[in-house]
Amino acid sequence: MRMKKFVSFLMCSVFLIAAVSCHKDDPYKLYDVKVQLVYSDADPVAGVTVNAVNTNTGMIYVGTTDAQGNATVPAVAGLYEFSATETRAESGTAYSFNGFKQQVAITHDYEKTPFVVTIDMVGSEAKQIIVKELYTGGCQKDDGSGYFQQDKYVILYNNSTVDADLKNLCFAMTIQYNSHATNADVVDGKLTYESEGKVPAGHGYWTWAEGNAPVLKPGEEVVVAINGAINHTLTYSNSVNLSNSNYYAMYDPESGYNQAAAYPTPSEAIPTSHYLKAYKYGTGTGWPISVTGPAFFIFITPDGVTPQSFFEDTSNENYYNNMNAMLRKWVPADWVVDACEVFSAGYVGKNNKRLITSVDGGSVVLTNRQGYSIYRNVNKEATEAIAENKGKLVYSYSMGTSDLEEGSTDPSGIDAEASIKAGARIIYMDTNNSTNDFHQRKEASLRSK
Amino acid sequence: MLTIIALLLLFPAFAQKYQFSGKVLEKGTDIPVEFATVVMPDKELWAVANAKGEFVISGVSQGKTKVEISCLGYAPTTFEIEITKDLKGVTYYLAIDDLTLESAVVVAKENTNSATTSRQIDRTALEHMQMVNISDISSLLPGGVSANSGKLTSSTDAFQIRSDETSAISSFGTAVELDGVRLSNNATHGGVSGVSTRNIASANVESIEIITGVPSVEHGDMTNGVVKINTRKGKSPWMITAMTSPNTKQLSLSKGFDLGAKGGVINASAERTTSVHDLASPFTTYQRNAFSLIYSNSFDAFGQPIRFSTGVSGNIGGYDKSADPDSFMETFEKVKENTIRGNFSLNWLLNKSWITNIELTGSVVYSDNLSSLSENKSSSSSTSSLHGMEEGYFVSTPYSSNPDAEVILRPAGYWYEVSYRDDKPLDYNLHLKINWAHDFGGVVNKLKLGAHFTGSGNLGEGFYYEDLSKAPDWRPYPYKDIPFVNNLAAYAEENITIPIGTTSLNLVGGVRSEWTMINNSGYGTVNSLSPRFNARYSIIKYQRSRVLRELSLRGSWGVAVKLPSVSILYPTPSYYGKQVFAPGTMADGTAFYAYYILPRQIEYNPDLRWQKAQQSEIGVEADIAGVKISLAAFYSKTLGSYFTYNEYEPFTYKWTDQRSLEGCLIPSSERLYSIDRETGVVTVKDITGKVPDQTLAYSEKNTFVSKTKVTNEVAPTVRKGIEWVIDFGQISAIRTSIRMDGTLYKYRSTNENIVQSYQSNRTMSDGITPYQFIGHYVGSSSGTSNGSESLKLRNNITFTTHIPKARLIFTLRLEGSLYRHDRNLAEYSGEQTTWPMSGQEKIPSGTEFYDIRGHVIKYPLYYTTFDDPRTPIPFREKYLWAKDNNRQLFSELDAMINKTGYNYLFLKNVFSPYFSANISVTKEIGRIASLSFYANNFFYSTMRFKTSASQTDVSLFESSSYIPKFYYGLTLRLKIQ
């Protein structure tokens, strides 16, 4: 009799406890978040992957769209950044659509009060000239005393099937310089100039010396040293050798970019016709491209505008956050040929985009000071489709990095540099979205040339 | 004036002289107080008690006079006597100075005898606040803020009297004297700021007097007050002090040894203080090991007493960061601050009819400050270091080929730069003062004449590098090559006290003339004159029975002159260097750059005047029913503050680069570059001799070089305010007294000098021609304002609970900033140069820019061009014309316009009130020990206050700019007989 009472008492208390605990919110409960992709002048398409990145944990939740562009992404409660990207070909031109929405909060009330996350998809074309590699993070010094970052460079590549004339092509970067810095242009999770079709070129921009713009054949590249075009490996063995006679150099002390540490004279091997010309309108003696997370882009001025006339025009000027030292010029998005938005590792969730969606819809993460570079992903389908590449493509790509949580490597698995050495012609990804188009490479590609 | 002096000299012959003698004993024990000093301040007469406590002052003229008796370790006593005949055999009692005394004071006491604003802080107050750095006492001045962090690792702690600004100029003008030895900052090259007080021992300070008003003409070379520090002198038991606080620890030992009959007293003290900058990384520790030895005695010469003292004090200290494990190997920073001070003083009481007293003091101060720094460097290409001291074009040469080359080539690789700064200032002074005191018919007359000789110089090597082959740009500039600056001053001061019925009027007037000998400089010998005048009218002498118990009025006026520092009189030469040749980098990273060097130095200005401060003050002291009120209103105008600025002159140089070398027939490894020193043309030689020399093509660049000049600011700086101290007396039931002190302070300063500015790293719109314009701005070439004003209202309340029976004293101090506003100013007596703007264009959108929330632009007043540097072109006119007529000029002129970065720069920024509170407790344990504890900002305030212009909240938590940081300390003092 006593035993029965005891057991029933036990069962009642268990039920009570269970009942009470049922009301506690389960942090691992998945909510089916509804997402809709909205296209302004195109039709939605099925099969587009929608990613939701949890800004606190870094975990990615995915969903796929149906023919109306609706998707369901099962995700736990948290703060998210939603993004989607897709490429389609129409009448011989490749179009990419990108969209993202930051700071979407999914709470435990989602089931009671559900809402639809709408993502505006913006379309853009794939262009001839792309940024193949951007190396700005620097490397470790040999004696262990710190890092060296005066060996930056960028490589441009002809990704198309016809010759590309680089006349009037300018190299620029945005203000805010750093992705992790507080950005006064970001209001309510969006850039204030997002819908104005322009991007800011801060401090100054570089272009080829008069009459010396190179012409790239399909598959050809041009290396431009951003700092000293010399052999840095003699002192810093982890660095790169930029003293090749084919390379170009951002060297123009007469423009005002004359800081001795940043701009030693280029190697004697490099002809002076390879020296670029700078148009400087910021204060200071060095072009301040970020070593942590730059937003780099290249643009070509249209007919009737030259880099010189663009410099003289004061109507395109604007000050970032009204600060005197942060003068920048607006470059219309139509002029932009390619871009690369780099985010800084260690600031996940705090990095801000500076390039508008139509120019670059995503971002790639860089851990600086370790000799890593930002390198383009190979477009597997397009590259394998080229008949002449048969037997020359090298797979088992091992130059990805694993310092970031999900790792960063080329999803195609193709080792582009080894394949090029074997005589293949590589077509790189160009969806105007740095998340798809770039990865963090373990070593600057020039080290193995 | 002369007839009055003649008359005064005649009178003494007819006055009767009497003797005043007696005994000084310790209250309660009747032990004789040897070395007690008995002084008649109005007559400049004194005597020192012997081993039996007996003293004799002879030659005292008849009449009423004040007597002060004091001795180390005892509370001083002051009283009045009337001499009508010989007054002998009276016994006076001195009470031991401890907390059992009802009169123990832990705040700054007003000097009621002084005709100018002056305060005394005695030992009890210094021990209660646990002063570690002498500059901490500024908190005891009316409206003062408690000291910040108790850390000695900042070398910028200097006095700020009657000013709050961060400008170092106002602290530069405050004179600090240690036992009569003037501590000067003139001879150090660290820059223009006040003398750092961190290397002065704090544990054996007996009292500090601060004169914030117009001081006597005895004090020269200051414009902002005098701080006189007196160390312990006299017989005393063993005093051991141990102090601990989070960042600073101190241990000190001192004793006054009695050398027996007629042997005098030796005061010896030693102190060790260590202060850590960051508790988490205790490797930056400032150490101060101070010692002092003072011998004092009194004896008779020709029948008249002489008080004599001589002493030596010093400090061995500094810090050493080399042990820090977080620093990269072989990098370090070390600072050594050693000082030795020797001084003597003689006070001979002649007491003749034509002279009363002679005082002679002298001192020598020598410091050895050596700081060293080692840094790790590397480069992937060669770098050029400029060492040349003469004008010309020079090409880089490796150190191994020519160590004396003007431009040294440092190869690529890794190296250490080890640098030293050897600073050895030496100051000496000799001061003779003659007093003549006489009273006739109740009128006390004191005449003071003096001569003061001071000199300062430096014996150091200056800044240098250990290894010149690895040094960056550097030129030698030994401090010892700069001649000593000597100064001779003569002064006269007349001090008369005239009784008018029941009131008395004290008038002090004096003048000081200074000759400064500046050798080897265009300034030569310069003379300056400073007159000073004080008056004090005591209307009602203290009478307890009345409601208005005491009332006196005072006023002062004076001019004080500040000599410029060595950095202005003997300026460090500076060198302009411009890269003129940039050949391509060779395969090993070497590049033979060439530079143009131009030596420059602050130009001698024959019209430079000495900086003067005109100060005036009026004050009221009253005692109304026991509430003591002291009010002072001051006004200080500093004229001609020293101001350095740049001027530009056109300059053309030849630029040669790799483009001229592309067609060179000589292979790179066989080239020898040379550059013509005068013309700047580069020649390439073939070292094998096969190929003939080749002269390289160049382009000419037109730019500007600057030269620095010094002048006086045209517009004055004005500081004015009111200070009050209200002592409500003690509420005896709770043994607590309340005192309120505060200040209302207003500061205003604008700079209307025209300065030049050049945008050296900018080009014209072709992107290649260097910028061709010089902008001439009002006051400042950066930013949009040229001055500021501020108004501060501060009020502090101190509650002191004193329980003599428990030997306990407790204070709670509430410091409050009741109102504060700052405002930026842009003013010019000529035309308007600062305008409001709207939108993106830098065009004036109106005329009013104060009190609007919007952006503001500042135009240069006018500009000049390279082609025509003499013709000033009015800027605004031309800019507005170019907008519609010449867009290229419009975009080029745009660079000279300054714009605000935020839209509230010219709004009045009002701070809402904020407060903080400190507590202090001192408890004596019997007669041998005492324990003190203090906690600053003990609420660890997280309060926030608003600033009206930026409309933001500022948090007081962990902020050190508004209220003192949360800090505490504990001191134990032992007195062993």
Side-chain angles (χ1 to χ4, degrees):
Chain A
M1 197 52 199
R2 245 181 284 157
M3 195 55 182
K4 231 178 158 180
K5 256 199 182 160
F6 179 68
V7 168
S8 50
F9 173 71
L10 209 62
M11 283 170 63
C12 283
S13 41
V14 166
F15 276 126
L16 258 171
I17 292 167
V20 167
S21 60
C22 272
H23 292 293
K24 215 162 128 188
D25 290 327
D26 178 5
Y28 300 106
K29 184 172 157 64
L30 289 171
Y31 297 97
D32 287 331
V33 183
K34 297 196 206 328
V35 182
Q36 186 184 32
L37 303 183
V38 175
Y39 294 81
S40 49
D41 42 25
D43 299 318
V45 78
V48 180
T49 311
V50 177
N51 287 324
V53 180
N54 185 316
T55 55
N56 284 333
T57 63
M59 292 205 49
I60 306 178
Y61 300 87
V62 290
T64 320
T65 57
D66 57 16
Q68 280 74 43
N70 296 324
T72 309
V73 179
V76 301
L79 193 67
Y80 285 93
E81 184 181 294
F82 282 83
S83 61
T85 175
E86 52 123 337
T87 317
R88 46 177 111 158
E90 246 161 69
S91 42
T93 318
Y95 289 92
S96 300
F97 287 89
N98 296 302
F100 70 94
K101 201 178 191 96
Q102 286 179 307
Q103 298 183 354
V104 179
I106 306 295
T107 65
H108 290 287
D109 291 329
Y110 189 77
E111 274 185 344
K112 289 191 217 125
T113 48
F115 56 89
V116 178
V117 180
T118 49
I119 304 178
D120 292 320
M121 300 296 278
V122 181
S124 55
E125 279 178 35
K127 300 266 189 0
Q128 273 191 304
I129 307 297
I130 54 164
V131 173
K132 179 182 145 188
E133 186 176 16
L134 181 64
Y135 170 69
T136 61
C139 60
Q140 290 289 312
K141 290 194 205 173
D142 287 8
D143 66 350
S145 62
Y147 51 89
F148 171 67
Q149 291 170 327
Q150 307 287 24
D151 54 350
K152 312 185 199 61
Y153 69 84
V154 64
I155 304 183
L156 302 185
Y157 182 84
N158 185 346
N159 210 28
S160 72
T161 51
V162 288
D163 286 359
D165 183 357
L166 269 54
K167 180 161 174 236
N168 285 347
L169 183 132
C170 304
F171 299 80
M173 48 138 189
T174 61
I175 295 179
Q176 268 287 34
Y177 301 113
N178 296 322
S179 59
H180 65 276
T182 334
N183 194 329
D185 294 321
V186 175
V187 175
D188 293 331
K190 251 175 61 143
L191 284 166
T192 51
Y193 48 87
E194 175 72 48
S195 44
E196 292 173 39
K198 58 190 188 188
V199 284
H203 205 278
Y205 54 90
W206 296 80
T207 187
W208 317 103
E210 190 68 42
N212 283 318
V215 173
L216 294 181
K217 294 197 184 35
E220 249 197 329
E221 67 184 34
V222 62
V223 178
V224 180
I226 296 175
N227 287 119
I230 59 176
N231 186 353
H232 296 282
T233 61
L234 298 175
T235 308
Y236 306 110
S237 55
N238 296 321
S239 185
V240 287
N241 179 353
L242 298 173
S243 62
N244 189 308
S245 58
N246 293 324
Y247 296 176
Y248 284 71
M250 286 189 184
Y251 176 76
D252 187 7
E254 294 168 275
S255 68
Y257 286 128
N258 54 22
Q259 188 186 84
Y263 301 108
T265 9
S267 163
E268 288 177 316
I270 298 177
T272 57
S273 55
H274 284 198
Y275 293 179
L276 266 59
K277 167 141 194 59
Y279 287 101
K280 178 174 99 87
Y281 38 87
T283 56
T285 53
W287 191 56
I289 185 166
S290 169
V291 294
T292 50
F296 176 79
F297 62 97
I298 45 177
F299 65 92
I300 297 184
T301 58
D303 285 335
V305 183
T306 61
Q308 170 77 39
S309 68
F310 186 63
F311 178 62
E312 289 176 11
D313 184 6
T314 53
S315 64
N316 54 27
E317 282 178 3
N318 162 262
Y319 290 90
Y320 167 78
N321 202 16
N322 277 304
M323 295 167 75
N324 262 332
M326 308 288 236
L327 180 57
R328 49 191 195 175
K329 284 180 176 289
W330 290 120
V331 176
D334 307 335
W335 300 8
V336 178
V337 170
D338 197 28
C340 179
E341 174 101 46
V342 183
F343 275 4
S344 178
Y347 294 92
V348 172
K350 299 194 190 76
N351 286 303
N352 290 305
K353 275 194 70 64
R354 294 141 294 173
L355 297 170
I356 60 178
T357 321
S358 63
V359 166
D360 187 330
S363 60
V364 58
V365 182
L366 171 71
T367 303
N368 69 352
R369 302 179 185 173
Q370 303 302 324
Y372 300 151
S373 80
I374 299 299
Y375 193 91
R376 204 118 194 166
N377 294 335
V378 176
N379 185 335
K380 193 164 176 205
E381 293 79 25
T383 309
E384 285 171 347
I386 298 175
E388 294 76 23
N389 285 345
K390 232 179 171 66
K392 296 184 191 151
L393 294 176
V394 178
Y395 290 83
S396 59
Y397 181 63
S398 59
M399 295 303 281
T401 50
S402 51
D403 65 297
L404 302 165
E405 193 169 316
E406 305 270 299
S408 179
T409 187
D410 187 337
S412 71
I414 296 175
D415 189 336
E417 293 297 314
S419 306
I420 291 171
K421 267 208 187 95
R425 188 164 80 80
I426 298 287
I427 305 280
Y428 290 97
M429 292 285 291
D430 187 9
T431 62
N432 290 324
N433 185 321
S434 294
T435 319
N436 302 335
D437 294 349
F438 290 97
H439 67 276
Q440 181 179 257
R441 196 175 192 270
K442 201 189 290 181
E443 205 181 56
S445 70
L446 296 184
R447 280 177 64 78
S448 53
K449 284 226 206 301
Chain B
M1 184 66 173
L2 279 168
T3 40
I4 297 173
I5 292 176
L7 280 169
L8 294 170
L9 283 170
L10 285 172
F11 266 97
F14 300 109
Q16 263 281 52
K17 298 291 182 152
Y18 300 103
Q19 194 190 71
F20 170 55
S21 65
K23 237 183 345 188
V24 182
L25 301 178
E26 183 179 300
K27 192 162 170 185
T29 58
D30 283 355
I31 295 173
V33 181
E34 193 184 359
F35 304 115
T37 320
V38 182
V39 181
M40 290 176 153
D42 291 340
K43 298 185 188 292
E44 297 280 337
L45 297 174
W46 50 267
V48 178
N50 63 13
K52 297 205 198 96
E54 296 159 348
F55 67 89
V56 175
I57 301 180
S58 21
V60 187
S61 54
Q62 100 184 72
K64 273 205 197 133
T65 190
K66 226 177 357 188
V67 177
E68 288 171 4
I69 306 183
S70 62
C71 185
L72 181 68
Y74 296 91
T77 173
T78 308
F79 50 89
E80 246 196 17
I81 56 169
E82 182 159 12
I83 301 276
T84 47
K85 57 179 183 13
D86 282 352
L87 185 58
K88 302 183 192 181
V90 192
T91 305
Y92 299 99
Y93 290 95
L94 283 184
I96 292 190
D97 190 10
D98 61 15
L99 293 180
T100 56
L101 286 180
E102 289 279 348
S103 58
V105 171
V106 291
V107 292
K109 267 195 302 233
E110 277 62 54
N111 250 345
T112 47
N113 295 323
S114 169
T116 188
T117 311
S118 139
R119 289 181 175 88
Q120 183 101 350
I121 301 170
D122 68 12
R123 189 192 49 84
T124 317
L126 291 172
E127 286 180 356
H128 191 64
M129 72 170 286
Q130 295 180 60
M131 167 186 79
V132 169
N133 186 334
I134 308 276
S135 59
D136 293 350
I137 57 165
S138 337
S139 63
L140 293 179
L141 299 176
V145 185
S146 293
N148 245 316
S149 66
K151 284 190 217 171
L152 291 175
T153 47
S154 157
S155 58
T156 54
D157 294 332
F159 277 103
Q160 294 271 20
I161 289 185
R162 276 188 180 160
S163 72
D164 256 347
E165 303 83 58
T166 46
S167 148
I169 305 286
S170 51
S171 76
F172 181 50
T174 304
V176 179
E177 289 178 9
L178 178 63
D179 285 335
V181 174
R182 174 67 190 276
L183 303 175
S184 160
N185 207 29
N186 280 353
T188 52
H189 286 255
V192 177
S193 75
V195 58
S196 167
T197 50
R198 74 172 177 183
N199 64 2
I200 302 173
S202 59
N204 71 338
V205 175
E206 179 61 21
S207 68
I208 298 183
E209 187 185 343
I210 309 182
I211 304 172
T212 53
V214 176
S216 154
V217 286
E218 241 180 277
H219 307 282
D221 195 19
M222 38 63 52
T223 48
N224 219 21
V226 183
V227 175
K228 293 160 79 165
I229 304 168
N230 301 310
T231 56
R232 264 190 226 125
K233 277 184 217 62
K235 187 171 91 171
S236 77
W238 285 101
M239 315 261 258
I240 302 169
T241 313
M243 194 275 280
T244 179
S245 72
N247 290 74
T248 306
K249 314 261 180 283
Q250 184 183 82
L251 185 63
S252 82
L253 186 66
S254 78
K255 177 151 174 66
F257 298 94
D258 179 358
L259 297 178
K262 299 278 183 186
V265 175
I266 287 190
N267 283 89
S269 83
E271 175 192 297
R272 177 173 164 84
T273 311
T274 56
S275 184
V276 174
H277 184 74
D278 179 0
L279 287 172
S281 175
F283 296 97
T284 309
T285 304
Y286 179 78
Q287 291 181 8
R288 175 173 80 204
N289 301 303
F291 67 91
S292 102
L293 210 60
I294 305 173
Y295 172 70
S296 50
N297 202 354
S298 62
F299 49 89
D300 285 351
F302 301 106
Q304 291 303 119
I306 293 186
R307 259 194 331 224
F308 168 74
S309 88
T310 181
V312 116
S313 71
N315 168 60
I316 299 170
Y319 64 80
D320 183 345
K321 283 203 224 178
S322 55
D324 189 347
D326 293 332
S327 312
F328 187 66
M329 64 178 179
E330 286 181 56
T331 60
F332 57 78
E333 188 184 336
K334 293 185 199 165
V335 170
K336 174 171 80 170
E337 269 181 30
N338 299 339
T339 307
I340 187 156
R341 299 175 206 103
N343 68 302
F344 77 91
S345 89
L346 248 151
N347 190 335
W348 192 11
L349 181 58
L350 285 166
N351 205 358
K352 297 276 184 283
S353 58
W354 45 274
I355 186 170
T356 308
N357 209 343
I358 290 184
E359 250 180 81
L360 182 69
T361 56
S363 71
V364 175
V365 181
Y366 173 70
S367 296
D368 180 1
N369 302 330
L370 180 70
S371 59
S372 57
L373 182 65
S374 167
E375 294 176 303
N376 161 272
K377 303 270 180 202
S378 63
S379 173
S380 52
S381 62
S382 64
T383 44
S384 302
S385 308
L386 307 185
H387 293 176
M389 306 205 294
E390 291 175 16
E391 182 178 348
Y393 290 88
F394 305 98
V395 74
S396 312
T397 313
Y399 188 78
S400 44
S401 333
N402 179 8
D404 296 324
E406 286 84 357
V407 183
I408 300 284
L409 185 81
R410 283 192 301 188
Y414 298 84
W415 68 93
Y416 285 91
E417 267 175 24
V418 184
S419 62
Y420 296 92
R421 182 179 291 280
D422 182 33
D423 183 20
K424 293 186 163 80
L426 176 66
D427 295 89
Y428 43 84
N429 92 89
L430 194 62
H431 189 173
L432 177 69
K433 198 165 41 160
I434 299 173
N435 288 309
W436 181 80
H438 182 76
D439 76 63
F440 51 99
V443 174
V444 176
N445 172 41
K446 292 197 277 191
L447 177 66
K448 187 165 22 176
L449 296 169
H452 196 177
F453 176 73
T454 56
S456 61
N458 203 311
L459 303 175
E461 281 297 332
F463 183 75
Y464 62 93
Y465 285 91
E466 187 176 66
D467 184 347
L468 273 185
S469 67
K470 302 194 169 73
D473 291 354
W474 174 81
R475 279 88 177 178
Y477 185 62
Y479 297 149
K480 61 186 191 206
D481 285 353
I482 304 165
F484 274 67
V485 176
N486 294 320
N487 193 61
L488 179 65
Y491 60 86
E493 185 180 86
E494 176 67 49
N495 183 331
I496 298 186
T497 308
I498 305 168
I500 304 172
T502 52
T503 66
S504 88
L505 177 66
N506 173 226
L507 298 168
V508 179
V511 73
R512 183 184 176 99
S513 179
E514 291 202 38
W515 292 268
T516 312
M517 281 81 79
I518 312 163
N519 299 329
N520 293 3
S521 119
Y523 296 103
T525 300
V526 189
N527 177 255
S528 68
L529 211 61
S530 316
R532 313 221 186 125
F533 181 74
N534 295 324
R536 187 191 179 89
Y537 187 41
S538 302
I539 301 172
I540 301 170
K541 290 210 175 38
Y542 187 71
Q543 264 183 290
R544 218 198 133 83
S545 52
R546 303 168 55 133
V547 171
L548 181 58
R549 297 181 189 179
E550 195 173 5
L551 182 65
S552 62
L553 298 171
R554 54 186 172 79
S556 321
W557 177 86
V559 173
V561 171
K562 181 85 190 88
L563 308 171
S565 72
V566 179
S567 56
I568 289 181
L569 298 174
Y570 295 104
T572 318
S574 64
Y575 299 86
Y576 172 80
K578 187 93 186 141
Q579 191 186 70
V580 293
F581 173 53
T585 304
M586 294 163 66
D588 65 352
T590 311
F592 289 94
Y593 300 107
Y595 283 81
Y596 174 77
I597 296 175
L598 179 66
R600 292 170 306 166
Q601 115 169 26
I602 296 184
E603 281 195 3
Y604 160 64
N605 181 355
D607 300 322
L608 185 69
R609 302 177 328 263
W610 281 178
Q611 181 179 313
K612 264 196 180 52
Q614 280 175 4
Q615 293 165 295
S616 46
E617 197 183 56
I618 51 169
V620 173
E621 256 121 41
D623 184 336
I624 303 174
V627 175
K628 292 194 181 56
I629 302 171
S630 159
L631 281 174
F634 63 90
Y635 178 84
S636 157
K637 190 157 147 173
T638 306
L639 298 163
S641 304
Y642 302 117
F643 178 63
T644 52
Y645 64 101
N646 285 336
E647 253 186 21
Y648 292 88
E649 44 190 26
F651 164 66
T652 305
Y653 67 96
K654 294 185 174 64
W655 164 256
T656 315
D657 64 15
Q658 175 70 1
R659 292 188 179 95
S660 320
L661 277 167
E662 265 191 317
C664 187
L665 302 164
I666 309 168
S668 161
S669 50
E670 287 161 22
R671 291 180 198 161
L672 181 66
Y673 299 103
S674 68
I675 190 166
D676 184 297
R677 183 168 162 168
E678 269 89 45
T679 63
V681 174
V682 182
T683 311
V684 193
K685 289 183 177 30
D686 182 353
I687 52 178
T688 62
K690 280 185 262 173
V691 183
D693 294 352
Q694 188 178 334
T695 311
L696 299 182
Y698 57 82
S699 61
E700 291 215 334
K701 297 275 178 193
N702 293 335
T703 182
F704 295 86
V705 273
S706 71
K707 55 181 187 222
T708 315
K709 296 177 99 149
V710 64
T711 186
N712 301 100
E713 280 189 26
V714 180
T717 300
V718 173
R719 292 185 186 88
K720 52 189 177 189
I722 303 173
E723 287 171 351
W724 57 87
V725 178
I726 304 174
D727 203 328
F728 290 97
Q730 200 186 66
I731 304 168
S732 48
I734 51 173
R735 300 225 129 248
T736 301
S737 54
I738 303 172
R739 175 185 150 111
M740 200 161 81
D741 67 81
T743 174
L744 175 66
Y745 169 76
K746 187 166 160 85
Y747 167 87
R748 185 176 221 277
S749 172
T750 54
N751 186 341
E752 291 203 6
N753 292 46
I754 306 290
V755 297
Q756 297 182 11
S757 169
Y758 175 58
Q759 315 266 345
S760 55
N761 282 310
R762 199 173 268 282
T763 57
M764 301 297 270
S765 39
D766 62 359
I768 225 179
T769 312
Y771 201 67
Q772 299 290 292
F773 303 132
I774 298 286
H776 300 245
Y777 300 79
V778 174
S780 159
S781 59
S782 63
T784 47
S785 77
N786 69 333
S788 67
E789 73 172 15
S790 68
L791 181 68
K792 290 185 177 117
L793 174 64
R794 292 194 57 89
N795 195 34
N796 302 332
I797 305 180
T798 311
F799 296 91
T800 309
T801 302
H802 178 209
I803 306 171
K805 281 220 177 67
R807 291 173 169 265
L808 175 74
I809 196 162
F810 170 82
T811 50
L812 167 67
R813 185 177 150 97
L814 292 171
E815 294 179 355
S817 160
L818 299 181
Y819 177 82
R820 178 174 159 173
H821 89 240
D822 298 326
R823 192 202 255 291
N824 288 306
L825 301 172
E827 281 181 6
Y828 181 53
S829 47
E831 57 170 270
Q832 184 169 354
T833 56
T834 309
W835 304 89
M837 74 179 252
S838 62
Q840 290 288 329
E841 287 203 304
K842 296 180 187 163
I843 307 280
S845 63
T847 52
E848 284 306 307
F849 56 90
Y850 286 121
D851 301 326
I852 55 155
R853 194 170 283 277
H855 286 272
V856 175
I857 44 173
K858 177 173 174 173
Y859 291 148
L861 196 55
Y862 53 87
Y863 73 98
T864 52
T865 63
F866 181 87
D867 297 319
D868 190 2
R870 303 229 180 284
T871 310
I873 306 169
F875 187 88
R876 181 165 51 99
E877 256 176 59
K878 195 73 174 190
Y879 183 70
L880 295 176
W881 170 87
K883 174 169 184 291
D884 300 318
N885 297 293
N886 185 343
R887 293 300 293 198
Q888 194 177 45
L889 179 65
F890 183 69
S891 71
E892 287 164 357
L893 291 180
D894 197 88
M896 288 193 274
I897 302 176
N898 295 338
K899 183 179 83 71
T900 50
Y902 39 91
N903 63 355
Y904 50 86
L905 192 77
F906 286 96
L907 283 180
K908 192 151 123 172
N909 193 14
V910 179
F911 290 58
S912 58
Y914 55 90
F915 309 92
S916 83
N918 305 338
I919 52 167
S920 261
V921 186
T922 302
K923 163 100 181 83
E924 285 175 359
I925 303 163
R927 289 178 137 211
I928 56 164
S930 94
L931 200 61
S932 293
F933 172 76
Y934 79 92
N936 282 351
N937 184 14
F938 74 98
F939 284 127
Y940 213 160
S941 178
T942 54
M943 188 177 155
R944 302 177 82 88
F945 66 90
K946 290 195 191 312
T947 52
S948 69
S950 57
Q951 294 179 326
T952 52
D953 278 356
V954 178
S955 169
L956 290 173
F957 185 68
E958 289 287 312
S959 129
S960 54
S961 353
Y962 301 104
I963 59 172
K965 267 187 91 156
F966 169 68
Y967 203 70
Y968 50 89
L970 183 70
T971 305
L972 172 68
R973 285 174 215 97
L974 296 172
K975 212 175 358 178
I976 303 169
Q977 296 291 348

